Amino acid sequence: MRTQVGIVGAGPAGLLLSHLLALRGVESVVVETRSREYCEARQRAGVLESGSVQVLREAGLAERLDRQGLEHGGIYLQFAGERRHIDFRELTGRTVTVYAQTEVVKDLIAARVAAGAAIEFGISDTEVDAVTSDQPVLRYTGADGVRRAVTCDAIAGCDGFHGICRDAIPVGLRTVWETGYPYAWLGILADVPPSTDELIYAHHPAGFALHSLRSPQLSRLYLQVPPEEDIAAWPDDRIWAELQRRFALPGWQLTEGPVLEKGITPMRSFVSSPMRHGRLFLAGDAAHIVPPTGAKGLNLALADVTVLAAALTSLVRDGRGELADAYSDACLHRVWRATHFSWWMTTMLHATPGAGSMEAQLQLSQLRYVTSSPAAATSLAENYVGYRPAAPSG
Ligand code: FAS
Ligand code: PHB
């Protein structure tokens, strides 16, 4: 078999890349270990930056997003018995849209299937070979048990943090930065109307909590738990009791309801450089991971492949390598900005186990500053809605 671009992974990065390449007349094959149903049901991100909405809209993928997405003009920060609003519209003129990653993936898969795209679900034993040649090879075993080899002009590693493509870059050529966090997020999907109009990020001595949502009928909530916590230790009534404790505010009530799903997500900051090696290009979680506090992971993945689609089109269709040569640095400037912002939001809002009261005093000072100084609030707002740093000149 042969194609122009072999894409490993049918998450948001791989699927959007396949679509954007097709719009430019570039052929691709997408291979995915999980089933279509699994990919569509996997509960993850919930917030799209305005730039991500624009990319999906311009690619003709936003019909349902425009109908069902919920535009939010800000967020609430809650701390020390107060709940204060950060107004993105007033501070930046921009907004975010609440539209779950599950819905983005459903829209992307539907568009690719409708276009007759080559997407293989349920594959196994993926390998990438000859990535420093101009004919790299993508090998995998199809769901039918048949071993296949696809000769490509380029391969996109969109296979997430636990994928195999990043390791195809020799360790000696890779630089990895990583930091862990002494806590994780327990997330629930609850069949109850949200108790808030916009997201509430709550700082509390017992730990962080986030009230997000999926629709006017469906709530998404998270609470900070120890990193190795067992979900079996958290029956629904304990989860709700802890959420009530952390969101408590005079005159405001958190409405409870049936928990449809619950799970625990570990947290890390991770960046791997470069994002390109020969004809192998990494995008999304395959190259970087951020703690979800800044709502950046999904948006970084979509931004990476927006840049990569142009670079690969120029390389494999037009025979020009300049954009491909610039790809990694162009992405990493944006990735580091989002990585810092996600770390900053996380360390401002979470209670480090065993930290003395000094940490809480510093965090409260920062939260009071961010919610009272227009300059500080603007800095948070412009990063949350999606800050695109200009690549350094020279
Ligand atoms: P993905 O991980 O989404 O997709 C990679 C795909 O590659 C997967 O479908 C995987 O099955 C496939 N794959 C892996 N190895 C393969 C192989 N060898 N061969 C073929 N296919 C292979 N971000 C936020 O902004 N907010 C959040 O609240 C949030 N919550 C998250 C919760 C969890 C549990 C996780 C893991 C991530 C969360 N994220 C969140 C981040 C998440 O949204 C990612 O940033 C986003 O999925 C990145 O998309 P991709 O890069 O496409 O990677
Ligand atoms: C979500 O709705 O899943 C969500 C929203 C904002 C975040 C993290 C997760 O920062």
Side-chain angles (χ1 to χ4, degrees):
M1 289 167 68
R2 134 158 282 293
T3 189
Q4 288 178 292
V5 180
I7 300 174
V8 184
L15 291 165
L16 179 58
L17 177 62
S18 174
H19 182 86
L20 294 177
L21 290 172
L23 292 178
R24 293 166 169 82
V26 176
E27 182 191 79
S28 66
V29 168
V30 181
V31 295
E32 163 61 52
T33 45
R34 299 289 189 167
S35 69
R36 171 174 179 176
E37 294 69 27
Y38 182 94
C39 292
E40 291 179 341
R42 193 167 37 192
Q43 271 302 332
R44 282 192 171 169
V47 173
L48 292 174
E49 294 174 356
S50 50
S52 298
V53 172
Q54 185 184 350
V55 164
L56 293 170
R57 199 170 278 151
E58 289 172 357
L61 294 165
E63 189 274 326
R64 200 159 66 99
L65 164 57
D66 284 334
R67 272 190 294 113
Q68 296 176 12
L70 301 169
E71 189 174 18
H72 280 198
I75 58 171
Y76 296 99
L77 295 179
Q78 180 170 332
F79 55 93
E82 298 181 66
R83 183 177 293 165
R84 296 187 186 178
H85 191 244
I86 301 276
D87 190 329
F88 298 156
R89 276 197 188 88
E90 179 188 300
L91 294 163
T92 70
R94 293 163 67 192
T95 61
V96 294
T97 299
V98 171
Y99 190 71
Q101 178 169 328
T102 50
E103 306 318 296
V104 174
V105 169
K106 284 174 193 167
D107 295 342
L108 285 166
I109 292 177
R112 299 309 298 134
V113 169
I119 302 186
E120 285 205 45
F121 292 99
I123 66 108
S124 56
D125 303 320
T126 315
E127 292 176 348
V128 292
D129 292 324
V131 295
T132 54
S133 77
D134 58 5
Q135 297 286 296
V137 180
L138 169 57
R139 301 182 197 282
Y140 65 94
T141 301
D144 57 6
V146 175
R147 190 75 181 149
R148 293 185 171 84
V150 185
T151 302
C152 312
D153 295 328
I155 291 177
C158 302
D159 49 348
F161 183 71
H162 300 291
I164 56 98
C165 288
R166 185 171 65 247
D167 291 341
I169 301 179
V171 171
L173 297 179
R174 250 189 290 155
T175 305
V176 168
W177 295 269
E178 181 165 15
T179 184
Y181 297 87
Y183 31 75
W185 277 15
L186 186 158
I188 65 169
L189 193 64
D191 184 10
V192 62
S195 301
T196 180
D197 58 338
E198 293 181 332
L199 274 59
I200 305 168
Y201 288 77
H203 174 279
H204 188 278
F208 169 77
L210 170 61
H211 190 332
S212 184
L213 53 120
R214 288 290 177 267
S215 74
Q217 295 76 35
L218 212 51
S219 293
R220 178 74 168 156
L221 298 110
Y222 298 92
L223 57 88
Q224 171 188 340
V225 294
E228 305 307 326
E229 195 73 331
D230 181 352
I231 192 69
W234 286 87
D236 297 357
D237 56 353
R238 183 186 177 195
I239 295 172
W240 282 115
E242 193 56 29
L243 289 167
Q244 293 289 357
R245 179 185 179 203
R246 298 185 189 182
F247 284 116
L249 199 72
W252 179 84
Q253 183 60 43
L254 173 62
T255 309
E256 302 183 12
V259 175
L260 302 174
E261 281 185 46
K262 55 183 165 185
I264 292 177
T265 304
M267 298 174 86
R268 67 168 57 87
S269 294
F270 175 92
V271 179
S272 178
S273 172
M275 291 173 58
R276 182 244 179 127
H277 177 59
R279 289 291 179 111
L280 173 66
F281 297 78
L282 302 182
D285 278 16
H288 42 72
I289 296 283
V290 289
T293 327
K296 290 295 149 213
L298 169 59
N299 294 290
L300 281 177
L302 300 180
D304 283 352
V305 295
T306 302
V307 178
L308 185 54
L312 288 178
T313 300
S314 187
L315 181 67
V316 307
R317 187 191 69 186
D318 307 337
R320 297 180 58 91
E322 296 87 350
L323 292 180
D325 294 345
Y327 167 71
S328 184
D329 285 347
C331 287
L332 285 170
H333 290 296
R334 170 175 31 80
V335 166
W336 276 111
R337 174 83 311 270
T339 299
H340 175 270
F341 175 68
S342 303
W343 166 84
W344 177 79
M345 283 283 280
T346 300
T347 53
M348 177 170 66
L349 287 159
H350 289 70
T352 303
S357 62
M358 178 74 168
E359 179 188 70
Q361 291 306 314
L362 292 170
Q363 290 170 333
L364 292 172
S365 168
Q366 193 165 33
L367 286 160
R368 290 189 183 101
Y369 176 52
V370 158
T371 53
S372 56
S373 154
T378 301
S379 176
L380 187 156
E382 69 179 3
N383 279 280
Y384 198 99
V385 298
Y387 180 70
R388 295 280 186 272
S393 55

